Every structure is written in C-alpha cells, then in structure tokens.
Amino acid sequence: MEGMDPEMMKLAMEQMKNLTPEQMEEMKKQVAEMSPEAIEEAMNVVKNSNPEEIKEQMKGAPLPEDPAEMRRQMEAYTQHQKDSHDYKYNASMQLKAEGNKFFTAGQYEEAKEKYTRAKKNLNGLSSLAARKLHRTCMLNEAACCLSLEMWEECARLTTAIVKNAESDPQNVLTAGQGLKTYYRKGQALHHLGRYSEAYQDLMSAHGIAPQDEGVKAALKLAKEALAKENEQGGEVKTEAKAEPVVEEVDEDCPPPEEVDE
C-alpha cells in the first residue's frame, strides 16, 4: 500500500498469512462489495493514522476467526480513526478562531500562541483539509511575527510554506496565499538586511498583484536598499515602512494584512 509504514505492512502480511482459506475468501468478498468511495476512505484513514498506534494494535490483537466479527472490527476501527481525525481538526479550528480574535484585538503574542497550538494539534493528520488548515495557521503565525518584529521566525515560516506547497500538488498556493506569503517573507528579509532575497520575494508578490500599492511601495524600498548595498559594498540599514498590502476582499482570499479566516 502506497504511503504505508514498511513495518506496518510486514505485520499486515503476517496477519494475512494466518487467515484460513474461508477467512481470505470472506475478506475478498467484503472488499469486492465496498464502493470505490468506501475503499478510498479506508485508505485515507490508514494514511491519517499514527503508524505506531496501529502497529501496537496489530501486534496485540490477532484477526478474529469469525468473518462477521472481522468486518465489525474493521468498521469500528475506521470510525474510531475518523472520529479522532475530526476531533483534532475541529479543536484546531477552534484554536485558530480564538487566535483570530486576539489578532484583531492587537494581542499578537496571544494570537501566535493559539496558531502554534492549532498547528501542532494537526501533527500526524495528512488529509487535504488538515494540510490546508496547517498552512493557514502558518500564514497567520507569520502575520503575528511581523507585528512582533520576529523577523527570523517570519522568514522561517514563510519559507516553509513555499517549500511545502511545492511538494504538495494537491495543495498549491492560491493567489491570495502566494501574495501573503511572499509579501510577509519579503518584509521580514528586508528587516534582516537580506535585500536581494527580499527584492526577489517582493517581485513574486508584485507578479501576483501588480497593481497593489502596498506591494509596489515595499518593492521600491527593497530595490533602493539593494542599490545602496551594491554601491557601498557593505551592509545598509533601512526600515521597511511600506503600507500593509490591501486587496479586494472575497470569501476565498481575505486581505493580506489580516489573518486568514
């Protein structure tokens, strides 16, 4: 099974070796009766589960001889894993909502703590919904970091967002996410004196929203700082004081200066 832990696969094969011919036939029959959607859901449950937890359960609980009991246990386990996923996901959604309230109130440290907890709560979940929520939390963390002048942390978060998106074809950056990511990354790098990198990231933001005045102002500052650095052959200290990026609001793409809902 693609994406399955090798040791877990080995244990599953060992379990199947112990099946009687009747049990094997019953298992084949059950799988044949499953709809494609049900099979996909079962596969996703396994992928979204903790491999260590599954391995311990497989070691301590041999397959039952009764095919009906086998099916009941499989259905119970699938439901348990789904409930566990939904519980963690919903808890993270609640934490994100609490973080948004703190952010709106200007309490950025408290907001960042909520987003960080929400993100960590999603560890081990690989569903598309969980991956999307994880990215939202990272984007919101980066927004907090800019307000808290945590430049290194903001640059680290936004760099990770780009890398994760590049390796996840099902969860590529939307235009709004790309604008937020590159703008925030460019601002952080500017404050760190990494003007060449800041200029490149702000150029990426400008490519997404060429008419945005905030992006153009930030890009102008980065270009001027880079030019001074090249002329002087050394470090140039300037402040990135561009106005926050503003774009037309819609349900899928909140304003980049605000946290994602």
Side-chain angles (χ1 to χ4, degrees):
M1 182 186 299
E2 183 180 356
M4 190 173 187
D5 181 83
E7 185 176 345
M8 196 162 64
M9 175 68 82
K10 181 180 178 181
L11 286 170
M13 294 299 293
E14 290 177 354
Q15 292 269 25
M16 292 181 69
K17 288 180 181 178
N18 297 326
L19 293 176
T20 64
E22 292 77 13
Q23 288 176 316
M24 184 64 75
E25 286 302 317
E26 179 62 26
M27 180 177 289
K28 290 179 181 179
K29 180 181 177 182
Q30 291 175 8
V31 172
E33 292 175 352
M34 293 174 68
S35 67
E37 293 77 14
I39 294 176
E40 182 178 0
E41 181 179 353
M43 295 283 285
N44 288 333
V45 165
V46 173
K47 289 182 179 180
N48 294 330
S49 301
N50 186 319
E52 295 302 321
E53 179 183 334
I54 296 177
K55 284 186 281 188
E56 286 301 315
Q57 291 179 0
M58 291 173 70
K59 288 178 180 178
L63 291 173
E65 296 184 2
D66 181 15
E69 176 62 16
M70 183 192 306
R71 182 167 188 167
R72 189 196 68 77
Q73 289 188 14
M74 289 173 61
E75 291 174 348
Y77 178 76
T78 298
Q79 186 61 47
H80 169 74
Q81 292 300 319
K82 184 179 183 300
D83 291 344
S84 177
H85 172 279
D86 292 348
Y87 175 80
K88 293 178 180 179
Y89 179 86
N90 291 333
S92 291
M93 286 289 289
Q94 178 62 36
L95 287 167
K96 178 176 70 70
E98 293 172 3
N100 289 353
K101 291 181 180 178
F102 279 124
F103 189 93
T104 301
Q107 297 174 262
Y108 303 118
E109 289 186 2
E110 291 83 353
K112 183 177 183 300
E113 188 269 338
K114 294 292 184 179
Y115 297 138
T116 301
R117 284 177 57 194
K119 184 181 67 176
K120 290 182 178 179
N121 203 44
L122 295 167
N123 288 345
L125 304 184
S126 60
S127 68
L128 180 59
R131 302 199 307 273
K132 286 179 178 291
L133 180 56
H134 188 275
R135 175 180 296 163
T136 296
C137 292
M138 291 183 73
L139 274 169
N140 292 356
E141 274 188 289
C144 293
C145 288
L146 278 184
S147 297
L148 295 169
E149 300 186 357
M150 300 172 63
W151 317 126
E152 290 281 1
E153 180 71 0
C154 181
R156 183 191 67 79
L157 285 166
T158 47
T159 297
I161 289 170
V162 174
K163 289 183 177 179
N164 290 344
E166 290 174 346
S167 63
D168 189 353
Q170 290 185 317
N171 190 27
V172 298
L173 288 174
T174 65
Q177 289 173 343
L179 179 58
K180 290 184 176 79
T181 301
Y182 288 114
Y183 178 79
R184 291 170 187 172
K185 185 171 178 235
Q187 290 287 79
L189 292 173
H190 188 121
H191 281 286
L192 292 169
R194 294 160 60 179
Y195 304 120
S196 178
E197 296 172 78
Y199 178 76
Q200 293 300 320
D201 284 314
L202 290 168
M203 278 293 291
S204 295
H206 181 67
I208 297 169
Q211 303 304 318
D212 192 284
E213 294 300 326
V215 172
K216 287 193 285 188
L219 184 60
K220 182 175 180 290
L221 288 175
K223 186 176 181 179
E224 291 173 352
L226 182 59
K228 289 181 181 179
E229 184 178 55
N230 291 335
E231 288 175 3
Q232 298 176 10
E235 187 175 2
V236 179
K237 290 295 183 182
T238 65
E239 290 296 320
K241 297 180 180 178
E243 292 299 315
V245 184
V246 179
E247 68 172 342
E248 183 178 353
V249 179
D250 60 47
E251 294 182 356
D252 296 323
C253 190
E257 78 276 11
E258 299 178 2
V259 292
D260 284 2
E261 297 294 332

